[in-house]
Amino acid sequence: MKKTYYNFIEGVLFVLEKLVIQGLNTLNGEIAVHGAKNSALPILAASILNGSKNLLYNCPRIKDIDCAVKILNRLGCATKQNGSIISIDSYSLSGYDIPESLMAEMRGSIVFLGALTARCKKARICYPGGCEIGQRPIDIHLEGLRRLGVIIDEEHGMLNCRVDKPLTGAKISLPFPSVGATENIMLAAVTARGETVIGNAAAEPEIADLADYLNKCGAIVRGAGENTIYIQGVAELHGAEHTIIPDRIVACTYLCAAAITGGSLLVKNMNPLHIEAVLELFEQSGCRMMTEPDRVHITAKKPPDPIHTARTLPYPGFPTDIVAPMTAIATIADGTSIFVENIFENRYKHVAELIKMGADISVEGRAAVIRGVDRLYGASVKATDLRGGAALVLAGLAAEGTTYITEMPHIDRGYECIEKSLSSVGAKITRLCTP
Ligand code: UD1
C-alpha cells in the first residue's frame, strides 16, 4: 500500500511531497494558463457583499482559492466548486470572524476585511499570513478603511472592526499604490454613502477585474486599472456571473520555462497586454516573441542573453512576482544580469537554493547580480516561497541531472498542478509522496 507522509508548514498540516525533475529537456508545444489567483481572491471576498447568488468561471484550482472558499463556508455562505467554476450564495452569511488558522494560510485573506465590515458592520480577524517576502504591513488598508468610517481596535494581533455610523465615501490618497489596500477600500466603498475617490491607487489588471465584477453586481466604479478610482456608493448589490482573467504571473512563468530550456512554446489563454514590461525583458534575453490577443508564442535563444537591469515597479512596471522566475533564466545567460527589487525587501530567499544548483549570484540589499554559468546541476532544494519555488522548478528544467524540490505547498498556493502543465510540453517532472 502507498504510504502518505505529512508535515506542518506555518502551522498547517500538508501531505509531504516533492517534485523530481530530470533536467535538460527542451520544452515544445502548447500550454494553457489558468485564472488569476490575485483576481479570484478579492472577487470571492466581494461575493459576500451582495447576499445573493454568484457564479465565477475560470477560478484556479490552487490552495489559496481552497482557503478562500473555506473562509466563505466558515462565514456561513453556501459554496460549490466544480472544477474551475465556483458558485457562492452569500445570502446565508452569518459570521463576521475568520479563524486564525485560515487567516494564517495566505496574505490574500486580508481582503475579506473591507467586504465583511461593509456587509456585517463588524469584523474580527487577525493579521494575515502568506509568503514571507517582506514585512508586509497593513497600515494603508486600515487607514483607508478608517477614512470611510470603520472603527478599528488592534489588540494582541487581532483586529476588531465595527461600523457605528453608515460608511461614508471619502477622498483617500494612498501613500503607496498597494494592491490589497486598493481592493479593501473598493470593497468597503461600493455600498458606502456618497463618492469615494482613491488617489495613487494600484492599477494592476486584477483591480480592473474586481471592478468589472463589482459593476456587474450593480456597483458604480470608474477608473479601475488607472491611478485614480471613482466609486459612487449604491444602496445594495445583486449577484453576478463573472469570468476571472488569466493569471499573468503563471503566463510569465511558462514563458520563462521555454526561455530557460531553449524551447518554443505557445502560451494560450493569457493577455499579452498585461505583461508588456515582461515581454520587453524576454526580447532583451534574445527570445522571439509573437503576440496575439489571447496568446504569446515564444522561441528562445540558447543560451539566453543577459538582462541588463530590471527594476520592479507597481503595474504597469516590471512585476515583483516575476523577479524570482527571471533570476532563474539569468543563471544560465551569456553574461551578467542585474535585478533591483523595489516592492518587497525579501524576494531573494530562493537565491541560496539556486546557488546550491551551481548559480553564481550575489545579493546586496535590493539588488541581485547574476553572472551566467554554463550549466546548472540538479540538487535537493527547498521552495522558500511561492515565486521562489517556481524559480527552482525552472532551474531544475535547465539543470544537468536530477533536482528534488521540497516544501511543495508554497508552489501549490499559486500554480495548478505545475508538474502536469510542464510535462505536457516535454518536461520530465513528477510529484512523489515521500519524506
Ligand atoms: C499583491 C499580490 C502579490 C504582489 C503584490 C505587488 C495578492 C493576493 N497579492 O500583494 O502577489 O506581489 O500585490 O504587486 O494580490 N504596504 C505597506 N502597507 C500596507 C500595504 C502594503 O507598507 O498597508 C507595502 C508592502 O509592504 C509592499 C508594498 O506596499 O512593500 C506593496 O504591497 P501590496 O501592493 O499591498 O501587495 P499585496 O496586496 O500584499
Side-chain angles (χ1 to χ4, degrees), residues 199-233:
N200 197 26
E204 271 71 359
E206 294 76 18
I207 303 275
D209 201 30
L210 173 62
D212 277 353
Y213 164 75
L214 288 168
N215 287 340
K216 284 178 191 167
C217 296
I220 304 173
V221 181
R222 286 182 298 116
E226 293 162 37
N227 297 117
T228 308
I229 300 177
Y230 302 87
I231 300 166
Q232 191 62 50

Side-chain angles (χ1 to χ4, degrees), residues 146-159:
R146 284 190 174 111
R147 294 288 308 283
L148 297 173
V150 181
I151 298 161
I152 305 172
D153 293 324
E154 296 175 64
E155 49 163 3
H156 313 302
M158 290 302 296
L159 298 165

Side-chain angles (χ1 to χ4, degrees), residues 8-286:
F8 272 101
I9 298 178
E10 289 168 10
V12 182
L13 188 65
F14 288 106
V15 174
L16 207 51
E17 293 174 323
K18 61 172 74 157
L19 279 187
V20 183
I21 307 173
Q22 201 67 49
L24 294 184
N25 291 292
T26 305
L27 301 195
N28 282 296
E30 294 184 9
I31 200 162
V33 175
H34 57 69
K37 163 176 95 68
N38 291 351
S39 234
L41 289 175
I43 290 175
L44 284 165
S47 71
I48 69 178
L49 286 170
N50 55 45
S52 192
K53 291 188 171 135
N54 299 274
L55 205 47
L56 302 180
Y57 301 97
N58 202 31
C59 296
R61 285 164 283 184
I62 54 174
K63 282 214 177 321
D64 274 13
I65 298 303
D66 294 344
C67 177
V69 170
K70 278 190 230 161
I71 291 175
L72 288 169
N73 291 336
R74 160 79 197 209
L75 292 171
C77 299
T79 65
K80 217 183 261 174
Q81 263 175 295
N82 182 7
S84 62
I85 304 172
I86 301 181
S87 68
I88 310 110
D89 187 345
S90 56
Y91 177 76
S92 51
L93 182 124
S94 52
Y96 60 87
D97 60 332
I98 303 176
E100 202 172 336
S101 56
L102 291 175
M103 285 302 291
E105 272 191 46
M106 62 166 181
R107 169 82 183 175
S109 52
I110 190 67
V111 283
F112 279 88
L113 188 57
L116 268 181
T117 45
R119 167 90 192 262
C120 306
K121 313 294 170 228
K122 52 186 173 181
R124 185 175 153 79
I125 65 171
C126 65
Y127 277 83
C131 284
E132 288 170 13
I133 51 178
Q135 283 190 24
R136 308 191 84 171
I138 53 169
D139 54 315
I140 306 174
H141 300 238
L142 301 186
E143 180 54 25
L145 294 176
R146 284 190 174 111
R147 294 288 308 283
L148 297 173
V150 181
I151 298 161
I152 305 172
D153 293 324
E154 296 175 64
E155 49 163 3
H156 313 302
M158 290 302 296
L159 298 165
N160 287 305
C161 306
R162 62 176 208 278
V163 176
D164 289 348
K165 288 186 277 175
L167 293 178
T168 306
K171 280 199 167 66
I172 302 167
S173 181
L174 304 186
F176 184 88
S178 155
V179 173
T182 303
E183 291 165 349
N184 250 331
I185 297 167
M186 285 167 75
L187 294 175
V190 281
T191 53
R193 287 188 177 169
E195 189 182 54
T196 297
V197 181
I198 311 175
N200 197 26
E204 271 71 359
E206 294 76 18
I207 303 275
D209 201 30
L210 173 62
D212 277 353
Y213 164 75
L214 288 168
N215 287 340
K216 284 178 191 167
C217 296
I220 304 173
V221 181
R222 286 182 298 116
E226 293 162 37
N227 297 117
T228 308
I229 300 177
Y230 302 87
I231 300 166
Q232 191 62 50
V234 295
E236 57 180 14
L237 299 173
H238 51 76
E241 291 188 15
H242 183 74
T243 302
I244 304 294
I245 58 169
D247 196 307
R248 62 197 164 99
I249 310 302
V250 171
C252 288
T253 306
Y254 293 156
L255 293 171
C256 287
I260 203 166
T261 62
S264 172
L265 279 185
L266 179 65
V267 181
K268 298 190 303 187
N269 187 24
M270 59 170 290
N271 188 340
L273 296 177
H274 291 169
I275 59 162
E276 282 184 329
V278 191
L279 291 177
E280 270 176 39
L281 294 186
F282 281 114
E283 274 163 6
Q284 215 184 91
S285 73

